[in-house]
Amino acid sequence: MTSTDAAKLTADLIRCPSVTPEEGGALVLLEDLLSGAGFTCARVDRNGISNLFARWGERGHAKTFGFNGHTDVVPVGDAAAWSVDPFGAQEKDGILYGRGATDMKSGVAAFAAAAIDFVSDTPPDGSIVLTITGDEEGDALDGTTALLDYMVEQNEQMSVCLVGEPTCPNEMGEMMKIGRRGSLNAFFKFTGVQGHSAYPHRANNPVPVMARLMDQLSRHTLDEGTDHFDASTLAVVTMDTGNPATNVIPAECRATLNIRFNDAHSGASLTDWMQTQVDALAAETGVQIDLQVKVSGESFITPPGMLSDLVAAAVEAETGRTPELSTSGGTSDARFVQHHCPVVEFGLVGKTMHQVDEQVPVTQIHQLKAIYSRILSDYFS
C-alpha cells in the first residue's frame, strides 16, 4: 500500500518561507508531488498571488470530493523570541515546530497525503479536487476566489468540499465548523470646527460626538443569537484624534469598529443601520460624519446533513470524539467555497496558530491524515 508521510510533507512545507504573498516554494513542491501521483495540476496565479489547482479523475464528475487549504503564513514577528528557526521545521520530543505548523501546512499535507494514497490504492469512481491558495492570510482577493473563478471557466466542479483549517479548541476531534459568522469593519471620520480649548463655543468639537456614537453603537444589542449562531458582536477597536496639543480642539477625529454577525444580518443591513445612526447624530450636532464599510465576508451555514455526518463519523472513528457542529471563530476561505458547493471545515487543534513557537504534535498530523483518508473512503464507498 502507498504511504505518503504527512508529517515529513508538513516539515518540507514549513521549510518553504511562504509568508503572504510569497509562494516560497510550497506550491511548487505540492505540484511536483501531486503531478507524480497522477493529478492534473494547474497554477492559477493572479495579480502576483500563487495558487494551485489539482484534480484526479474525470473533469466535472458528478461525484467529486474537494479539499481546500492554504500554504501562505503570517510573518514570524520577533524571530529572536522563537526558541527554534521559524522555518527550520525542527522536531523535538514528538513536536514539530515552525511557522505554519498548525495554520495550516499540516492540514494541507494531511489532505494531500490522504488523497495521493487513496487514489493510488483504491482508485474511486469519481474525482478528487485540491484547491490550495497562497492568499488566505492576506487580502484574500486573488486566492481561493481566483481558483473558483478558474473552475467556472474550465467547467470544473466540486460536489462537496472540506476546508482543512484548524477547528479544534483543545482536543483533537472536538469541533468542526458548519458555517462562519460574517465580519465587517466600519471606518468613521468626524469633521467639526477647530478652535481654542478655552473658547469651545467658537468651535464644534467632533471628539464628544465620536465618543457618543461609539458608545451608542456598542451598547446596542444586535440580536440574541440564532439556531446555529451565537449572538452577534460589535467591538470598537480604535478612536483617534492625532492631537498632541492640550489647548486645541481638533477639527477631525476617526474611529473604527468590527462587527462579527450571524445569519440574522447581512453586511448591507448592518451598514444601513449604522448609516441611520450617523445621519441622525450628524443632523443633531452639526459634525460631519463619513462612514466607510468593508465587508470581509457574509455569514453562512451548511445545514447539518450528509456532509457533516460524513465528517463527524470519520472523526469519531479515529478519535473517539463526536465533534461539536460549530460556527464560532473568525472568517476562513469557506466563505468563498460556500457559493460553489456545500462546505464544512475540520482540522487540528489551533491553540498555537500565529504564535511564537507555533507547533503541532506529529501524532496529530498522522491522525488528521487518517481522518481525511476515512472521509474519502466513506464518501466513495
Side-chain angles (χ1 to χ4, degrees), residues 13 16 18-28 30-31 34 42-54 67-74 103-105 107-109 111 129-149 151 161-165 332-337:
L13 289 172
C16 300
S18 52
V19 177
T20 301
E22 297 299 322
E23 185 271 331
L27 294 180
V28 173
L30 288 165
E31 183 175 2
L34 291 163
R43 284 289 292 273
V44 188
D45 298 356
R46 190 169 79 182
N47 293 330
I49 298 297
S50 301
N51 304 292
L52 177 65
F53 174 87
F67 286 103
N68 173 266
H70 65 92
T71 53
D72 63 316
V73 297
V74 297
D103 187 16
M104 62 165 284
K105 291 182 173 180
V108 170
F111 69 59
V129 164
L130 278 60
T131 53
I132 307 170
T133 179
D135 190 35
E136 197 273 346
E137 300 289 7
D139 292 334
L141 299 175
D142 296 297
T144 292
T145 54
L147 285 160
L148 294 170
D149 289 345
M151 291 179 68
C161 183
L162 190 154
V163 178
E165 287 281 3
S332 77
D333 277 3
R335 71 188 188 272
F336 306 124
V337 179

Side-chain angles (χ1 to χ4, degrees), residues 15 36 42 76 88 116 120 156-157 172 180 191 236 245 256 270 366:
R15 294 187 185 101
V76 301
I116 289 169
S120 299
E156 300 279 3
Q157 178 69 40
M172 191 66 175
R180 291 280 187 163
T191 305
V236 178
T256 305
L270 289 166
H366 294 308

Side-chain angles (χ1 to χ4, degrees), residues 223-232 262-265 299 301 327:
D223 56 73
E224 301 292 345
T226 63
D227 288 347
H228 295 289
F229 289 88
D230 292 334
S232 301
N262 59 34
D263 53 352
H265 310 276
S299 66
I301 184 77
T327 57

